[in-house]
Amino acid sequence: MAYQKVMSLSALPELEPKKVSMDETDILLIRKGDEVFALEATCPHSGAPLEKGALCEGKLICPWHKSVFTIEEGALCEPPSLRALKRYPVKVEEGAIWLDPKALPGAAALDKVDDTQAIVVLGSGAGGSAALKALREKGYSGRLIVVEREKQAPYDRTVLSKFVPQGDMSIDEVPSLLDDDFYKKQKVERITGNVEELDVKKHQLRLEDGTVVPYRKLLLATGGIPQRPDLPGKALLGIEVLRSWEQAAAIMAVVEQKQRLVIIGNNFIGMEVAAAFRKQDIDITVIAKHDLPFEKQFGKDLASFFRRRHEQKGVKFIEGEPASFDGDRHVSAVVLKDGRRIDADVVLLATGVMPATDFIHELPLNKDGSLTVDESMSAGHDIFAIGDIATFPLNGHPTRIEHWRVAQQHGRVAAGVMAGLDEKYDSVPFFWTQHYGVRYEYLGHAEKWDDIDIIGSPDKDDFVALFGLKDKLMAVVGTGRMRTTGTLLIKMGEPLTMDDARRIVKEVKEPKS
């Protein structure tokens, strides 16, 4: 090993991540007592600078999207990263820190598959991809098959409403979640096709082309299907939904030509698309039944801020409900229930999703189409369900959350259980939304609250909002406080009072920009 002296031990503050560069390689150093750990300096998920992240209870938390790694080994604890951090040889001698800029070897390729009965993963979106990676990481060496209906899969769907519409990323640059090398090295078999039926008794899937895929255990990660309101004119050209790569490509092609977009619904997808297209000066009108976006999730004060921010950027809002769509082959207007006509060249239906479970007939489905699972993500009968299609226990209450990172958390838990480990979902839910270059984070899950404490200024993009119920912290919304939210994410693993949360907000020191 070619060690090089990089600094004195005393120059590295304890539990304060510091980036150093050696031979054009950035390495993160973390000191704990007289020990020093050397890790990859950027998050594998999307390149966040980990020196700006939080250190809490032996964990390193990514500042942007809250991947969590152990300090000592760089092991992955929480997604959205799908792999651990690279480690570098490091030693302390005579009060100095020595580093080798050549990373230690990572996970080895799988030599052989030792089981003839397969674990099958249906869907390789956020949750499915996380499960595929975790199955091998957690020691499963048997046959592993993934069935996916999209030929472009697996890819990062979050960029379809954020970076692609604003022109920062072309549709052909949408990043893959798992590259071809992973499938080859880890001996994962891939099948492309639509599932027609799940036969629980026979332990098999039947595809539309007649292919039968038997399984020993099955992970259902089919996600959600965008809903199209059953209104007159719904089949007109130019009325789009956004969930897939192909749908995003279709919207981009038409909007860039027409330069005017009407969005039905002010949910997260709808408002992210509105913000992204405004960067390209597209004319945007949002039609929604309720006038404040995100009021159900964030409360009236923050919802009013988001409405104000979008209006300042040129988004027009119309309160109302669509009754029909007008046009000759191609949509030309949205007609509201009160008779108003809103001119439209393109319409995006941001009207929510339903669980993609229409092929399931032998398992009980909830009214919303989801499957009820236990804390191990098991739906019974050697079947596991995750993500948008799973109603799971959260703090003792049946809950369904339609967010990227939650699906990944589910996927890792299910993978561990299918690999023979004793795991359960005990994570803190997290999601992020982006508007006009500002990323807003949401920690926890609050369906109701009796106290909101907004610390800082939303208008200055620097705040933390604490949501409490009976003095217990239920959820956090924030931006501009990367280490604070990272610390809260770890601390919320155990119950926190509102005063506990206020103290953390006051004590955490954010990195210098």
Side-chain angles (χ1 to χ4, degrees), residues 47-67:
L50 291 176
E51 76 272 12
K52 296 184 181 296
L55 293 178
C56 183
E57 298 181 1
K59 305 293 194 303
L60 170 64
I61 304 95
C62 168
W64 290 358
H65 306 115
K66 301 301 183 274
S67 298

Side-chain angles (χ1 to χ4, degrees), residues 41 73 163 265 331 342 364 415:
E73 300 290 333
F163 303 118
V331 67
I342 312 302

Side-chain angles (χ1 to χ4, degrees), residues 90 94 112 161 188 240 322 359 405-406 412 430 445:
V90 59
E94 299 180 353
K112 62 179 181 178
S161 61
V188 179
E240 308 287 351
F359 61 93
R405 187 175 183 266
V406 172
R412 288 184 59 80
F430 170 85
H445 184 72

Side-chain angles (χ1 to χ4, degrees), residues 287-301:
I287 300 172
K289 181 178 179 180
H290 303 289
D291 63 339
L292 296 178
F294 320 146
E295 183 176 7
K296 180 180 178 181
Q297 295 85 2
F298 293 169
K300 187 173 183 178
D301 288 344

Side-chain angles (χ1 to χ4, degrees), residues 260-264 283-288 316-322 324-326 331-347:
R260 184 168 61 177
L261 173 65
V262 172
I263 300 173
I264 308 296
D283 183 277
I284 301 290
T285 299
V286 174
I287 300 172
K316 298 182 289 292
F317 288 85
I318 295 176
E319 189 174 349
E321 294 183 70
S324 63
F325 303 103
D326 272 2
V331 67
S332 60
V334 179
V335 180
L336 303 185
K337 288 184 177 180
D338 61 11
R340 285 177 291 171
R341 291 175 55 86
I342 312 302
D343 291 339
D345 294 322
V346 187
V347 174

